[in-house]
Amino acid sequence: MSTTTAADWIAHHARVSPKREAVYDLASNRRFTYAEFDDRITKLALYLRTLDVREGDRVAALSHNDSDVFEIEFACQRLGAIFLPLNWRLAVPELEFICNDATPKVLVHGLEFAAEAADVARLTNIPNLIDIANGGDSAYEAGIAAATGGLAPRVNQLDDTWVIMYTSGTTGRPKGAMITYEMCLFNGIHSIMDAELTQRSKNLVFLPMFHTAGLNVFGNPIFQTGGCNVIMRVFDPAEFLSLVTDKDLFITHVLGVPTNFLMLAEVPGFDEADFSNLVSLSVGGAAAPLALIERFAEKGVRLQQAWGMTETGPLGLWLTDDKALEKIGSSGLPPMFTDLRIVEEDGSETPQGQTGELLIRGPNVTPGYWNRAESNKDIFTEDGFFHTGDAARQDEDGYYYIVDRWKDMFISGGENVYPVEVENVIFQLDGVLENAVVGIPHEKWGEVGRAYVVMKEGSNLDEQAVVDHCLSQLARYKVPKEVRMIDELPHNATGKVLKHELPRD
Ligand code: ADP
C-alpha cells in the first residue's frame, strides 16, 4: 500500500523558506511570505472550525480573483473540507442550482457579490455567510484576527476530493468535477516538468480562479514548487501587457485563452513590448488561431499551445517551446503520467492521421462528477479512459491536434466540417478580430456553415471578401454559406466563445 498522502505545500515552504514571497495580490497591494500565508491559512481554518466546518463539508467562494481565495482552498485542505469556487458571472438561479447540488456549509463572498450571496444562501439554506473585502474590514479579516488555539491539520489521502469545480455546462446543467489531491499533485508534477516551474517562478493569475486554468495553471503548481503567484483581480489587456513586461516584477509564467492574446495583440505598444522575462507563454482552453501564434512569432515570441479540461487536472497536452512553430496548430504531447487514445464511435482505434474522439487516462483525471454516481460510469471506458468529447488527430511524429469539439462538428452534404479549421482561415484576413463558425440547418445540404465575424476597428472588410478568401483556401463544402458581421461574440467568464449562444436560424 502506498504511504503517500497529500502534502501541505504551504506548510512545507513555510518551514523551508519562510521569507520567500508566496502571493502578491495586486488590487490590494498585499504581499505575503510563505510564513505569513501559512499563518493566515491556519487562522482561517480555526475560524471555519468555529462555524462547525468538518471533514467532507463544502466551503464555497464567490469572489473576483483575490489571494484570499487561495487561502480558502488551503484552509479547506487543513480541515479535510472541500473547496467550491463559484463562477461570479452566473445569475442567481444558476448559482442556486449549483449550491443545491453541492450544499456548502459556508459561502465566502466578495463584498461586490453581497446581494447575490444573500439570495443564494436564502434559497439553498447555506447556514454561514462570510464577506471578504480584498484585505479591507470584513467578517473574514475579523475571523482571522480573532482565531485562537492550535490546529491539528487533517492528513488527506490522495484520492480524497479537495475541490469541486462546476464545468461551464455549454450543454445541459453544469456538473461538479471532483478534483482530488492526486490530480493536483500530478498536475503539479506535469507543470513543473513541462513548463519549467521552480521556486524562482512567478505566475500571473488573471483567468478567473473558479476556472481550472485560473486555479491550476499555474496557481496551485506554483505553490507546490514554492514560487510566487501574482494575482490580477480581473483581466485587462493593457494592464496585462505592462505587468508581463515589467522587469522589476519579473513574471515568468503566463497561460491565457486565445481571446486574451487576441486582445493583447491590439494593445498599443504590443509590437515594441519585450517579453524576455517569460520562461513560458502558453495558450489553451480553446483552439488558438494559427494567425495568432504567427503574430507572436513575428515578435520572436513562441506561444505554446496546451490542451486540458477541468476534468483532467487540467494539463493533458503540452507543446514545448522549441516545437511551438515547427508543430504550429498542435497542442503537443501528453505529460509523463498520462495516456491518450484516439478512437472511433465503436471504440476501435482511429488510424493515425485521421480524426476520432480523444480519450485520456491518468492520475490527473477526475474520478467523476459530484452526486452523479449513475452517469459517472458512462464517462469512462472499461479500461478506465475518460471520454473527453473532443475530436483529435495525431501526426506522423505522434503530436496531437485538437480538431474541435465533437458536438461543434457539422455535416454538410455528407462531409464532416470542423468549424475551427474554417475559423483559422478567416483569421488569416487582416481586418478580423474574432470569428466563430457554426453549422445551421439547410434544405439541400443538411447543414451549412455560418460565420460570425467581428472586425477590428477601422477595417472595411465585407461579407463577400470573407467568402472569397475561404473559397481560395478551403474545399467548397467547408466555405460558410453565410457571413454575418457583428460587434462582439458572446464569451464565458474565461473568455471562451459561447457558440451555443450564436443564433442558428
Ligand atoms: P468548459 O470550457 O466546457 O467549461 P473546460 O474549461 O474544462 O470546460 O474546457 C475544456 C475544453 O476546452 C476541452 O474539452 C476542449 O474542447 C477545449 N480546449 C482546451 N484546450 C484546447 C486547445 N488547446 N485546443 C482546442 N480546444 C481546447
Side-chain angles (χ1 to χ4, degrees):
M1 203 190 89
S2 170
T3 52
T4 312
T5 52
D8 186 327
W9 304 326
I10 308 296
H12 171 82
H13 294 300
R15 284 188 296 271
V16 176
S17 38
K19 296 210 172 92
R20 203 173 327 122
E21 191 162 77
V23 283
Y24 175 15
D25 184 280
L26 290 164
S28 61
N29 199 21
R30 285 177 301 166
R31 309 173 89 126
F32 295 121
T33 63
Y34 271 94
E36 290 162 343
F37 197 45
D38 178 62
D39 183 52
R40 281 177 61 85
I41 291 165
T42 296
K43 289 183 168 145
L44 174 62
L46 287 165
Y47 171 38
L48 291 174
R49 178 150 286 169
T50 65
L51 303 175
D52 199 32
V53 174
R54 305 201 164 267
E55 292 174 11
D57 285 343
R58 273 77 58 207
V59 177
L62 181 68
S63 167
H64 285 118
N65 286 354
D66 193 316
S67 55
D68 298 349
V69 176
F70 278 124
E71 290 171 0
I72 302 165
E73 181 193 20
F74 285 96
C76 282
Q77 170 174 14
R78 292 185 185 177
L79 296 172
I82 298 174
F83 173 53
L84 175 70
L86 296 172
N87 178 344
W88 42 260
R89 286 264 172 88
L90 297 183
V92 168
E94 296 168 300
L95 292 168
E96 181 187 355
F97 173 85
I98 291 172
C99 289
N100 269 329
D101 196 50
T103 59
K105 196 174 238 178
V106 178
L107 170 56
V108 186
H109 65 86
L111 281 182
E112 66 276 29
F113 300 116
E116 289 85 350
D119 285 348
V120 174
R122 180 174 42 77
L123 290 164
T124 66
N125 299 319
I126 303 172
N128 302 291
L129 276 178
I130 299 176
D131 57 34
I132 49 177
N134 198 222
D137 283 349
S138 57
Y140 184 89
E141 290 301 331
I144 287 179
T148 51
L151 183 81
R154 167 143 199 278
V155 177
N156 296 287
Q157 301 305 308
L158 289 183
D159 59 359
D160 286 336
T161 296
W162 184 10
V163 181
I164 302 176
M165 195 171 262
Y166 280 74
T167 58
S168 58
T170 38
T171 55
R173 290 291 205 175
K175 288 178 290 188
M178 294 189 282
I179 299 180
T180 63
Y181 291 95
E182 183 172 37
M183 289 171 67
C184 293
L185 168 63
F186 279 92
N187 184 61
I189 292 172
H190 290 156
S191 306
I192 292 163
M193 292 175 72
D194 287 350
E196 298 174 48
L197 296 180
T198 72
Q199 49 184 240
R200 285 172 299 283
S201 302
K202 245 188 211 177
N203 175 53
L204 187 62
V205 178
F206 63 97
L207 291 174
M209 291 170 67
F210 61 75
H211 189 271
T212 185
L215 195 72
N216 292 317
V217 196
F218 296 99
N220 277 328
I222 277 281
F223 290 132
Q224 197 168 336
T225 61
C228 177
N229 276 304
V230 179
I231 299 165
M232 263 180 111
R233 202 157 172 81
V234 283
F235 177 72
D236 170 85
E239 191 190 345
F240 178 86
L241 183 64
S242 77
L243 290 169
V244 294
T245 52
D246 183 329
K247 298 289 171 215
D248 295 325
L249 186 60
F250 217 87
I251 299 288
T252 58
H253 285 78
V254 161
L255 173 126
V257 297
T259 307
N260 299 132
F261 295 120
L262 289 166
M263 291 164 83
L264 185 67
E266 295 303 304
V267 173
F270 172 78
D271 286 324
E272 305 76 54
D274 171 7
F275 289 154
S276 59
N277 296 352
L278 292 170
V279 173
S280 170
L281 181 71
S282 48
V283 59
L290 302 186
L292 174 70
I293 300 175
E294 282 160 358
R295 175 91 168 84
F296 275 73
E298 280 163 19
K299 274 181 63 61
V301 177
R302 286 180 294 219
L303 192 54
Q304 300 169 245
Q305 188 158 197
W307 167 90
M309 306 175 73
T310 308
E311 292 88 336
T312 66
L315 200 64
L317 282 172
W318 178 262
L319 188 62
T320 49
D321 69 348
D322 57 324
K323 290 283 193 293
L325 296 176
E326 183 190 330
K327 292 290 185 189
I328 187 167
S330 170
S331 289
L333 295 170
M336 183 180 267
F337 294 94
T338 301
D339 293 331
L340 296 181
R341 291 174 62 201
I342 298 177
V343 298
E344 303 292 290
E345 208 84 55
D346 64 6
S348 61
E349 217 70 36
T350 299
Q352 181 256 314
Q354 292 180 25
T355 300
E357 191 196 357
L358 184 68
L359 305 183
I360 179 167
R361 184 173 67 182
N364 55 316
V365 177
T366 185
Y369 300 103
W370 181 256
N371 266 341
R372 300 284 188 283
E374 259 320 294
S375 50
N376 277 344
K377 293 181 209 126
D378 306 331
I379 57 178
F380 295 100
T381 62
E382 266 167 30
D383 51 354
F385 279 85
F386 174 80
H387 285 278
T388 67
D390 282 341
R393 68 181 165 81
Q394 230 180 336
D395 71 8
E396 61 287 358
D397 299 322
Y399 280 71
Y400 288 81
Y401 294 72
I402 304 297
V403 177
D404 215 325
R405 295 200 186 208
W406 266 132
K407 57 178 185 291
D408 286 343
M409 183 193 78
F410 61 90
I411 301 176
S412 194
E415 300 280 0
N416 293 356
V417 183
Y418 295 99
V420 168
E421 188 190 359
V422 185
E423 289 160 12
N424 266 326
V425 167
I426 298 177
F427 267 120
Q428 292 167 351
L429 286 163
D430 248 357
V432 173
L433 180 65
E434 270 203 293
N435 83 93
V437 172
V438 295
I440 55 168
H442 188 271
E443 256 176 39
K444 183 168 174 201
W445 302 113
E447 285 175 292
V448 295
R450 175 189 289 159
Y452 286 94
V453 177
V454 181
M455 287 187 295
K456 289 182 188 162
E457 257 181 46
S459 152
N460 52 8
L461 204 67
D462 63 13
E463 288 84 351
Q464 195 54 46
V466 174
V467 172
D468 289 346
H469 178 63
C470 289
L471 278 167
S472 74
Q473 303 292 315
L474 292 167
R476 272 198 106 82
Y477 68 89
K478 298 180 187 171
V479 175
K481 289 274 174 292
E482 262 184 50
V483 176
R484 291 195 184 175
M485 300 295 185
I486 54 172
D487 291 342
E488 65 180 324
L489 294 174
H491 292 105
N492 71 8
T494 333
K496 296 199 211 183
V497 176
L498 292 169
K499 288 194 175 174
H500 66 287
E501 288 188 4
L502 292 167
R504 314 259 166 153
D505 48 13

